[in-house]
Amino acid sequence: MKVLGLSLFLAFSLSLFSQDSAKVEGNNEKIKELNSRLDQLLLGKEQPRDSLAIKLDTMLMLIKELRQEMTTIKQEFAEIKKGKVEYEIEPQSTSVLERDSFYVVVAARGNLRKAQEALLQYQKSYPLMIVQNDRETWFHLVHKKSYSQDEVGNMVARERMNGIKDAWWISGQKLRLD
């Protein structure tokens, strides 16, 4: 058992050390620099320039993250413009609803325009559609897919774990059918 553990450790170690020598050298340089900074901090000889350098490194890292996020947003916008990503805004017509099924509701809005805006925001994980309740007072954003009574609870829990804290389920009977 010890031999197996030792051989696994050695195999893991060898895989870690198979990096490029340039990367290893760069890592060694950074480690030396960080050790030097740590020694200065421990000895109480921190120079004002050291703390400024740390702040500058932090700022550069934040700028890099922002640039990356901006690039991602630009790419998504370009895909939407080209029509690769389609966000369907359906009318409140719910003729596709099954009365004996259950639907996961991710949001509800008081008017159609606000429901359409919310649709663009929420339609990421599952295809959604806009339907009205049977009293025609609310527009609900629901999953297009209907679920059985056993499945709908799990899907609501999944949506809540994905950040939609007020997700709930509703019966197809309580939604307006045209």
Side-chain angles (χ1 to χ4, degrees):
M1 185 66 179
K2 289 181 182 180
V3 173
L4 179 62
L6 182 62
S7 63
L8 286 174
F9 175 74
L10 289 174
F12 179 71
S13 299
L14 288 176
S15 69
L16 288 177
F17 294 121
S18 65
Q19 298 177 356
D20 291 332
S21 61
K23 286 184 181 179
V24 171
E25 186 63 35
N27 288 342
N28 286 337
E29 297 281 329
K30 190 65 175 178
I31 290 171
K32 286 178 187 175
E33 178 187 335
L34 292 173
N35 281 333
S36 166
R37 285 184 183 176
L38 182 61
D39 290 341
Q40 293 295 324
L41 286 171
L42 291 175
L43 295 173
K45 297 179 182 176
E46 179 185 12
Q47 305 293 328
R49 149 181 151 309
D50 287 340
S51 65
L52 183 62
I54 292 170
K55 289 179 183 176
L56 182 61
D57 288 345
T58 305
M59 289 297 289
L60 289 174
M61 185 177 65
L62 290 173
I63 290 171
K64 183 179 178 181
E65 289 175 8
L66 285 173
R67 282 186 177 167
Q68 195 171 21
E69 287 179 27
M70 288 172 51
T71 302
T72 303
I73 291 170
K74 285 179 183 178
Q75 289 172 345
E76 288 177 1
F77 183 71
E79 288 178 2
I80 290 171
K81 257 178 118 174
K82 290 178 184 175
K84 289 183 180 177
V85 178
E86 295 180 11
Y87 291 106
E88 298 176 11
I89 298 177
E90 297 184 5
Q92 65 266 26
S93 170
T94 57
S95 59
V96 296
L97 292 177
E98 300 171 21
R99 293 183 61 81
D100 59 342
S101 294
F102 298 90
Y103 294 87
V104 176
V105 181
V106 296
R109 299 293 185 263
N111 66 47
L112 181 59
R113 184 182 59 79
K114 289 192 182 265
Q116 290 171 338
E117 290 172 2
L119 181 67
L120 293 175
Q121 176 187 358
Y122 286 104
Q123 186 163 300
K124 303 255 190 246
S125 303
Y126 294 96
L128 302 174
M129 62 182 169
I130 299 173
V131 297
Q132 274 191 302
N133 62 349
D134 57 353
R135 290 180 277 161
E136 299 181 8
T137 55
W138 288 95
F139 291 91
H140 296 301
L141 270 66
V142 301
H143 286 200
K144 284 185 179 181
K145 184 180 184 305
S146 61
Y147 300 99
S148 69
Q149 193 170 11
D150 297 333
E151 297 172 318
V152 75
N154 293 334
M155 292 308 296
V156 167
R158 183 177 292 165
E159 285 291 7
R160 288 182 180 168
M161 287 176 57
N162 287 336
I164 301 173
K165 299 294 182 204
D166 28 328
W168 75 93
W169 61 267
I170 191 167
S171 162
Q173 294 174 350
K174 294 193 177 196
L175 298 174
R176 195 182 76 166
L177 296 172
D178 290 339

